[in-house]
Amino acid sequence: MTKADRDTGSRQGLSGRRAFLGLAAAGVGGVLLAPGVHLMEIAQAAVPGPSPGASPKVRWGLLIDTTRCAPGCTDCVDACNTENGLSGGTRPTDSQWIRKVEIKEIRTGRSQSVPVMCQHCAEPPCVDVCPTGASFKRADGIVLVDRHSCIGCRYCVMACPYKARSFVHEPLVDQKADVPRGKGCVEGCTLCVHRIDKGQGPACVEACTKAGHQAMLFGDLNDPQSEIARRVHELATTQLRADLRLDPGVRYQGL
Amino acid sequence: MKQTLDGFYTLEERIFYVLLLLGGGLTLLGLTAARSVEEHGHVITGMTNQVVWGLPHVFAIFLIVAASGVLNVASIGSVFGEKLYKPRAPLSGLLCVAMLGGGLMVLMLDLGRPERLIVAATHYNFKSVFAWNVFLYSGMVGIVAVYLWTMFERRMNRWSKAAGLAALVWRFALTTGTGSIFGFLVARQAYQSALLAPLFIVLSFAWGLAVFLVVQSAMYAWNGQRLPEAVQKRMARLLGVFVAGALYLVGVYHLTNLYFARQSAFEAFILLGQGDASSEFPALFWAGYVALGALAPLVLLLHPRLGGPRCTLAASALVVLGAFALLYVFIIGGQAFPLEIFPGHVVTSSFGDGVIEHYRPSLPELLLGLGGIGAAFVLTAIGVRVLDFLPQDDFAALGMAGKD
Amino acid sequence: MRSLRAVAVVSVFALAGVLAAATAGGADGRAGTGSLQPPIEAARSGPCLADPGFMRRNHPDLLRHRRDETVHLGARDARTGLKACVGCHASTGTGSVASARTDFCVSCHSYAAVQVDCFECHASRPEATAVIAPDALHAGGAEAGPGSPLHQASRGEVAP
């Protein structure tokens, strides 16, 4: 074959090859896509949807009466640890969703014992800074971490004024079925959202009430008939770091 | 240094392989450390629930801020038309991309879930500066690539000014974004300041130029040549101006804080070590940053009897060391100081409230940070070896005039 | 050229053949009788939400979509929650869906070489000693009440 023949031949071959590859690609694409198209029809018809969840008309909140909080009492902390499967350890790398903070005013010497957890702010700085939107505020005011999207950057931990968030530093085992949590994600108090969605209250409030301290109250701040709404209407209550204007859903009485 | 067959100056083969081995080895160590942290969790590092950003972030933020600043050299050439800087522009662009890559590598490997990077790339909360930074950082690489192309491709040379301007504007946005990572945090006394964005911009000028001068000196030294005195003196003076500007802004930041009663405890902790006798932050700040990282370089660069090439190199190295000291105090000192949840109260708890955290960096963190530097090193070495990033005109001129 | 065409034709047919075989092999729900199939332990009780073929193809979408609804909207459904899946599919030997290589989720996923990181966070064992009753799957979404054994606040280990 002369060079000219080879050139012509290869050019023809080239266009022939191209045509064939194009056809083959179309064929393979069709073979791969067709089952998916068929299955999408099935999927949409199959399993009916779940029940409606959080309502924007509700705003869950806590009212904590610090005059009834005894120093050294950790009923709320223990209940939280048990309910959520936390280790209860106090190493700097252990997760703590709620802790008792013993405070003493410098000038007057007045001491108190205060449980501090995620304040479930209406304007949460942790939600603003999360790059993936994993830290989010639910319609009913509960601030949560969607661990499916959390990449573990810890920016929300930097942003929270209350040190409410913890980062999971080690692999975890034996998590509670209702409370999935794992290494590399950030977590914090969920107001026991898995219990709230069943009509119950948070474990800490239940434990405090059961033990007779009556220091914690949970309810819907938006419902004027609820006990919590009536109490914050009547009594003087404060929010932690109210100057930051984050409007937390957790209020304190007696501070 | 030698001339290739195509006539452009590049690294000698032996030197190149040594650099590759050193940088590659460092990068490998960093990757091993990252793998170890990924497997065992961050419990093997020194980071805790109080100090969540540690030594790797010091390295990463240095690399990213310096990367943005090193492009300054190119901007002065392209945008402001200073002929002396034009031959340096390609190297400056390469260093920008290399350091940005190294810094991002460290940041991404330190994530709690680095395998979820695709989630970060597909889910955005645009109220977050981090989300904006994903675009700013990757966009920077793209813009610098285009900029380099306009400089290398003769037919595109007339566009290099426009590309340089785009790079300059993007760089300002990027560094503002980096400073705002901290500036937007209302919770911490060390941050929550609008001053941090411009502070980071001036710091980027100083650190970027210092890194460029170190790299440039090395390249010239390997060629057995010296930078022309006029160029060297100008760049030295410029670095002096940037260092002074940065020192000024750091001073204003602390002075303002001292005026606020609610910030006084934090300032006393950082500047005087009050509240923790063994605190390393005052030493790092005063000796590491102010004395060694700012005042000494100023003397070396601007004193009439000093300011020669060796002084410039020493000053640049000191500026880089001072950068690490400042970032360590800023990032880690800012977290070590406890959050003020109950102003006017003394607090204790099981979660470290009211207590100053003793952060001790661990080996995996150091290796990861060094790995980022190694990666930047490798990218620069490969770039300089394979393409004509070195200041070609300078070498050509020096080659024709004979060794100085 | 001719050989290239031949190779391309053969590979297209081979691809089609493999796809056909995989689809056919998957649809009839045999539990690991062929040596090429992963061992699949039978579930503890009753039929699943849909037939095995459908579940095999669609469980990623079901899981992903439902989880967003549950987490972000608080819309929970006892039948489609991961707990229900784990309750039924946990191995009788290990009591888990993800601890041994023959456990339900891990078996197929290691066969298909698709990493599943659900159980880094989610419990792979049913809670306490309770097993999701078969009725719950058909009863139309009513979650067990507060008094039920499912909600004992204990760190329950392996089931039956």
Side-chain angles (χ1 to χ4, degrees), chain C residues 144-159:
Chain C
S148 98
L150 277 176
H151 302 291
Q152 300 302 333
S154 66
R155 295 236 224 137
E157 269 307 307
V158 170

PDB file of all heavy atoms in Angstrom, chain C residues 144-159:
ATOM      1  N   ALA C 144     -44.232   2.272  68.494  1.00  0.00           N
ATOM      2  CA  ALA C 144     -44.557   1.699  69.806  1.00  0.00           C
ATOM      3  C   ALA C 144     -44.600   2.797  70.860  1.00  0.00           C
ATOM      4  O   ALA C 144     -43.854   3.753  70.798  1.00  0.00           O
ATOM      5  CB  ALA C 144     -43.493   0.683  70.183  1.00  0.00           C
ATOM      6  N   GLY C 145     -45.504   2.641  71.835  1.00  0.00           N
ATOM      7  CA  GLY C 145     -45.716   3.696  72.835  1.00  0.00           C
ATOM      8  C   GLY C 145     -44.611   3.774  73.869  1.00  0.00           C
ATOM      9  O   GLY C 145     -43.695   2.952  73.876  1.00  0.00           O
ATOM     10  N   PRO C 146     -44.677   4.732  74.744  1.00  0.00           N
ATOM     11  CA  PRO C 146     -43.599   4.973  75.721  1.00  0.00           C
ATOM     12  C   PRO C 146     -43.369   3.808  76.662  1.00  0.00           C
ATOM     13  O   PRO C 146     -42.280   3.603  77.141  1.00  0.00           O
ATOM     14  CB  PRO C 146     -44.091   6.189  76.518  1.00  0.00           C
ATOM     15  CG  PRO C 146     -45.169   6.805  75.704  1.00  0.00           C
ATOM     16  CD  PRO C 146     -45.721   5.750  74.798  1.00  0.00           C
ATOM     17  N   GLY C 147     -44.429   3.035  76.901  1.00  0.00           N
ATOM     18  CA  GLY C 147     -44.249   1.979  77.893  1.00  0.00           C
ATOM     19  C   GLY C 147     -43.644   0.708  77.332  1.00  0.00           C
ATOM     20  O   GLY C 147     -43.323  -0.217  78.068  1.00  0.00           O
ATOM     21  N   SER C 148     -43.494   0.650  76.013  1.00  0.00           N
ATOM     22  CA  SER C 148     -43.092  -0.630  75.416  1.00  0.00           C
ATOM     23  C   SER C 148     -41.644  -0.957  75.726  1.00  0.00           C
ATOM     24  O   SER C 148     -40.846  -0.078  76.004  1.00  0.00           O
ATOM     25  CB  SER C 148     -43.307  -0.598  73.915  1.00  0.00           C
ATOM     26  OG  SER C 148     -42.073  -0.303  73.283  1.00  0.00           O
ATOM     27  N   PRO C 149     -41.334  -2.249  75.656  1.00  0.00           N
ATOM     28  CA  PRO C 149     -39.958  -2.679  75.967  1.00  0.00           C
ATOM     29  C   PRO C 149     -38.936  -2.067  75.025  1.00  0.00           C
ATOM     30  O   PRO C 149     -37.760  -2.022  75.322  1.00  0.00           O
ATOM     31  CB  PRO C 149     -39.988  -4.201  75.759  1.00  0.00           C
ATOM     32  CG  PRO C 149     -41.382  -4.572  75.461  1.00  0.00           C
ATOM     33  CD  PRO C 149     -42.214  -3.353  75.338  1.00  0.00           C
ATOM     34  N   LEU C 150     -39.383  -1.575  73.880  1.00  0.00           N
ATOM     35  CA  LEU C 150     -38.442  -0.982  72.940  1.00  0.00           C
ATOM     36  C   LEU C 150     -37.768   0.250  73.518  1.00  0.00           C
ATOM     37  O   LEU C 150     -36.732   0.670  73.084  1.00  0.00           O
ATOM     38  CB  LEU C 150     -39.161  -0.556  71.663  1.00  0.00           C
ATOM     39  CG  LEU C 150     -39.384  -1.636  70.623  1.00  0.00           C
ATOM     40  CD1 LEU C 150     -40.197  -1.077  69.472  1.00  0.00           C
ATOM     41  CD2 LEU C 150     -38.074  -2.165  70.098  1.00  0.00           C
ATOM     42  N   HIS C 151     -38.399   0.852  74.517  1.00  0.00           N
ATOM     43  CA  HIS C 151     -37.863   2.105  74.989  1.00  0.00           C
ATOM     44  C   HIS C 151     -37.273   2.027  76.370  1.00  0.00           C
ATOM     45  O   HIS C 151     -37.172   3.005  77.059  1.00  0.00           O
ATOM     46  CB  HIS C 151     -38.953   3.173  74.896  1.00  0.00           C
ATOM     47  CG  HIS C 151     -39.430   3.282  73.481  1.00  0.00           C
ATOM     48  ND1 HIS C 151     -38.661   3.791  72.480  1.00  0.00           N
ATOM     49  CD2 HIS C 151     -40.564   2.836  72.891  1.00  0.00           C
ATOM     50  CE1 HIS C 151     -39.313   3.678  71.345  1.00  0.00           C
ATOM     51  NE2 HIS C 151     -40.466   3.105  71.553  1.00  0.00           N
ATOM     52  N   GLN C 152     -36.900   0.827  76.768  1.00  0.00           N
ATOM     53  CA  GLN C 152     -36.141   0.730  78.011  1.00  0.00           C
ATOM     54  C   GLN C 152     -34.833   1.467  77.779  1.00  0.00           C
ATOM     55  O   GLN C 152     -34.176   1.263  76.790  1.00  0.00           O
ATOM     56  CB  GLN C 152     -35.821  -0.737  78.337  1.00  0.00           C
ATOM     57  CG  GLN C 152     -37.020  -1.632  78.510  1.00  0.00           C
ATOM     58  CD  GLN C 152     -37.941  -1.154  79.595  1.00  0.00           C
ATOM     59  OE1 GLN C 152     -37.523  -0.490  80.527  1.00  0.00           O
ATOM     60  NE2 GLN C 152     -39.216  -1.475  79.466  1.00  0.00           N
ATOM     61  N   ALA C 153     -34.467   2.301  78.724  1.00  0.00           N
ATOM     62  CA  ALA C 153     -33.229   3.059  78.517  1.00  0.00           C
ATOM     63  C   ALA C 153     -32.038   2.242  78.963  1.00  0.00           C
ATOM     64  O   ALA C 153     -31.360   2.555  79.905  1.00  0.00           O
ATOM     65  CB  ALA C 153     -33.306   4.359  79.289  1.00  0.00           C
ATOM     66  N   SER C 154     -31.825   1.141  78.279  1.00  0.00           N
ATOM     67  CA  SER C 154     -30.674   0.334  78.654  1.00  0.00           C
ATOM     68  C   SER C 154     -29.812   0.139  77.435  1.00  0.00           C
ATOM     69  O   SER C 154     -30.284   0.176  76.316  1.00  0.00           O
ATOM     70  CB  SER C 154     -31.118  -1.016  79.186  1.00  0.00           C
ATOM     71  OG  SER C 154     -31.732  -1.736  78.138  1.00  0.00           O
ATOM     72  N   ARG C 155     -28.530  -0.082  77.629  1.00  0.00           N
ATOM     73  CA  ARG C 155     -27.654  -0.297  76.487  1.00  0.00           C
ATOM     74  C   ARG C 155     -27.733  -1.761  76.132  1.00  0.00           C
ATOM     75  O   ARG C 155     -26.844  -2.531  76.433  1.00  0.00           O
ATOM     76  CB  ARG C 155     -26.221   0.075  76.853  1.00  0.00           C
ATOM     77  CG  ARG C 155     -26.123   1.519  77.139  1.00  0.00           C
ATOM     78  CD  ARG C 155     -25.084   2.123  76.244  1.00  0.00           C
ATOM     79  NE  ARG C 155     -24.262   3.010  77.051  1.00  0.00           N
ATOM     80  CZ  ARG C 155     -22.960   3.076  76.965  1.00  0.00           C
ATOM     81  NH1 ARG C 155     -22.322   2.340  76.120  1.00  0.00           N
ATOM     82  NH2 ARG C 155     -22.304   3.892  77.717  1.00  0.00           N
ATOM     83  N   GLY C 156     -28.796  -2.074  75.497  1.00  0.00           N
ATOM     84  CA  GLY C 156     -29.080  -3.487  75.246  1.00  0.00           C
ATOM     85  C   GLY C 156     -28.091  -4.138  74.317  1.00  0.00           C
ATOM     86  O   GLY C 156     -27.640  -3.548  73.355  1.00  0.00           O
ATOM     87  N   GLU C 157     -27.730  -5.302  74.576  1.00  0.00           N
ATOM     88  CA  GLU C 157     -26.845  -6.057  73.687  1.00  0.00           C
ATOM     89  C   GLU C 157     -27.649  -6.945  72.775  1.00  0.00           C
ATOM     90  O   GLU C 157     -28.766  -6.646  72.424  1.00  0.00           O
ATOM     91  CB  GLU C 157     -25.843  -6.885  74.500  1.00  0.00           C
ATOM     92  CG  GLU C 157     -24.551  -6.161  74.775  1.00  0.00           C
ATOM     93  CD  GLU C 157     -23.925  -5.632  73.476  1.00  0.00           C
ATOM     94  OE1 GLU C 157     -23.738  -6.407  72.527  1.00  0.00           O
ATOM     95  OE2 GLU C 157     -23.643  -4.436  73.419  1.00  0.00           O
ATOM     96  N   VAL C 158     -27.046  -7.997  72.406  1.00  0.00           N
ATOM     97  CA  VAL C 158     -27.612  -8.891  71.400  1.00  0.00           C
ATOM     98  C   VAL C 158     -28.956  -9.450  71.801  1.00  0.00           C
ATOM     99  O   VAL C 158     -29.212  -9.681  72.963  1.00  0.00           O
ATOM    100  CB  VAL C 158     -26.618 -10.050  71.189  1.00  0.00           C
ATOM    101  CG1 VAL C 158     -27.224 -11.137  70.364  1.00  0.00           C
ATOM    102  CG2 VAL C 158     -25.355  -9.505  70.578  1.00  0.00           C
ATOM    103  N   ALA C 159     -29.781  -9.663  70.836  1.00  0.00           N
ATOM    104  CA  ALA C 159     -31.153 -10.110  71.039  1.00  0.00           C
ATOM    105  C   ALA C 159     -31.293 -11.588  71.363  1.00  0.00           C
ATOM    106  O   ALA C 159     -30.723 -12.106  72.275  1.00  0.00           O
ATOM    107  CB  ALA C 159     -31.949  -9.768  69.815  1.00  0.00           C
TER     108      ALA C 159
END
